[in-house]
Amino acid sequence: MLYYWQINNNYEDDSVFLDHTGLLNEDAIRKAIIESQVSTVLYSKDIPNDTIISLKKSIPEVIFKRSYDPRIYVRSLREECYEVQNPVLNLSGKVTEEFYAKKQKLKNDSVSAEKIAETTMLHPGKRILWSCCNPSSVMVDFFEEITFKKPITYLECCTQFGETFRYVCNRLPKGSSLYGVDFWQKVKGFPMSDEAERDYKIHRIGFKGDLGYNEAMEKLVQSNPDLHFDLAFYDANHKSRDDRALRAIAKVSDIVIVHDANFEEVTTMCRGIFGDKPFKLHGNELTEAYSRIYILNKSDKWQLR
């Protein structure tokens, strides 16, 4: 039996990690944090309290959290995971380690899991993530049912580390435009192939804060009155009934796929925005994950089989 491990060091998606190395330069640290466009700073237990108190006063809109000592606990039994690291800053404000999201495929034994855990423990600010290792099944299945006749405009909110985004891009006609929306770290960090960057128009839209995608989507739609999405994939927040992002998407999209519609909060949003419009339900009780597929308008760019 394989156990994968996670480091409980207070990791946050929307964060940078402040290390205790380097000569103290509070102005440079402040500038680096602001430029990172994050809502949270995790900081080493070795950083003096006076430094953190001063930074809190100068950047009151950012949350500061002391990082816990690393602890290992059983997390999952999967064979794939991401090793993820948000940027690490030192006390001089220099980025000593860049953001990255590296896909790992582990051998089916506890020894390989322990090696990954040991490596992660040596680097505060790192974690191993067990979600989004593969493209969303609703998108994989939907692309078996649709044929594109012309380049389209595609939106994905929220992308995580781009597995679904890359899958969709590889199956769209060249010349298509793709918009990815997520935390600044993620949306700027996930890789696209050289061919995709050359043959498609890739737009990366970042935000900060757990509900920042609402403002990001509203601003994107309001600032671009001619923007239209032929296909939009909304990976919904499971715990929020704030419907601003989905409402903005629905106004300018032909097809809207709402993921995780099995959660009451998401179902409520769908009912409030789409009313009694028909939809196709994707998913089953075995996976306990449902998606709703709304065909809102017809188009000559695509055809359902």
Side-chain angles (χ1 to χ4, degrees):
M1 181 178 292
L2 173 60
Y3 293 94
Y4 288 172
W5 313 84
Q6 181 172 2
I7 306 307
N8 184 8
N9 67 345
N10 208 19
Y11 183 96
E12 300 271 348
D13 285 323
D14 188 22
S15 69
V16 292
F17 186 88
L18 185 57
D19 199 2
H20 70 283
T21 58
L23 298 176
L24 179 61
N25 187 333
E26 290 191 16
D27 289 339
I29 296 173
R30 186 183 307 110
K31 183 174 183 292
I33 292 171
I34 293 173
E35 289 179 348
S36 296
Q37 301 191 66
V38 296
S39 66
T40 305
V41 173
L42 305 178
Y43 59 94
S44 166
K45 59 183 176 60
D46 298 318
I47 294 180
N49 286 332
D50 290 347
T51 300
I52 298 302
I53 291 172
S54 179
L55 286 171
K56 285 182 177 179
K57 289 180 179 178
S58 64
I59 324 175
E61 68 275 18
V62 175
I63 299 170
F64 285 81
K65 295 182 179 180
R66 186 177 295 278
S67 176
Y68 300 131
D69 291 332
R71 285 187 170 83
I72 302 174
Y73 61 93
V74 174
R75 173 65 175 171
S76 179
L77 301 177
R78 300 185 185 178
E79 293 185 9
E80 288 184 312
C81 64
Y82 270 109
E83 182 181 352
V84 182
Q85 176 182 285
N86 278 356
V88 177
L89 309 176
N90 68 9
L91 288 181
S92 69
K94 181 181 179 182
V95 177
T96 59
E97 298 183 54
E98 298 282 353
F99 170 94
Y100 72 82
K102 182 169 63 177
K103 194 172 184 178
Q104 300 275 8
K105 188 171 180 65
L106 305 184
K107 295 180 181 179
N108 192 22
D109 61 75
S110 60
V111 174
S112 63
E114 289 171 357
K115 288 181 179 178
I116 293 293
E118 290 171 0
T119 301
T120 305
M121 285 182 67
L122 297 176
H123 298 276
K126 283 189 179 181
R127 74 166 176 177
I128 295 178
L129 178 78
W130 284 265
S131 62
C132 302
C133 290
N134 299 292
S136 173
S137 62
V138 63
M139 298 304 288
V140 174
D141 292 345
F142 183 71
F143 268 68
E144 295 294 325
E145 302 174 6
I146 190 168
T147 300
F148 296 100
K149 301 179 179 180
K150 300 177 183 179
I152 71 161
T153 300
Y154 169 75
L155 167 77
E156 187 169 323
C157 177
C158 298
T159 62
Q160 282 282 18
F161 301 111
E163 290 285 357
T164 302
F165 194 86
R166 287 189 291 271
Y167 180 88
V168 170
C169 182
N170 290 337
R171 285 154 181 81
L172 291 180
K174 291 183 179 180
S176 294
S177 295
L178 294 90
Y179 288 76
V181 181
D182 212 306
F183 293 123
W184 282 105
Q185 310 280 15
K186 288 182 177 179
V187 79
K188 287 188 174 181
F190 74 72
M192 296 295 291
S193 67
D194 293 340
E195 292 80 6
E197 296 285 0
R198 182 190 66 227
D199 296 334
Y200 299 86
K201 298 175 183 177
I202 310 296
H203 307 268
R204 299 173 186 251
I205 311 298
F207 61 83
K208 63 180 180 178
D210 288 343
L211 298 178
Y213 57 90
N214 290 295
E215 289 82 3
M217 279 308 313
E218 286 185 323
K219 182 178 179 181
L220 177 63
V221 172
Q222 292 171 2
S223 301
N224 300 275
D226 296 328
L227 184 60
H228 178 84
F229 300 118
D230 301 284
L231 173 61
F233 176 52
Y234 179 61
D235 195 350
N237 187 327
H238 307 168
K239 300 178 181 180
S240 174
R241 297 195 182 191
D242 191 332
D243 66 359
R244 288 174 293 159
L246 183 55
R247 193 170 293 276
I249 292 169
K251 288 179 181 178
V252 295
S253 302
D254 289 341
I255 304 174
V256 178
I257 299 178
V258 183
H259 191 40
D260 291 326
N262 48 301
F263 289 89
E264 181 183 353
E265 290 80 357
V266 183
T267 302
T268 299
M269 284 195 298
C270 288
R271 289 171 179 164
I273 293 172
F274 300 107
D276 58 359
K277 286 185 173 64
F279 62 88
K280 179 179 179 180
L281 190 65
H282 178 277
N284 54 56
E285 293 181 359
L286 181 63
T287 62
E288 297 183 350
Y290 293 84
S291 299
R292 291 189 176 199
I293 303 173
Y294 290 92
I295 310 296
L296 303 178
N297 303 294
K298 294 183 178 180
S299 172
D300 63 353
K301 294 183 180 181
W302 49 264
Q303 180 179 350
L304 292 174
R305 298 168 191 165

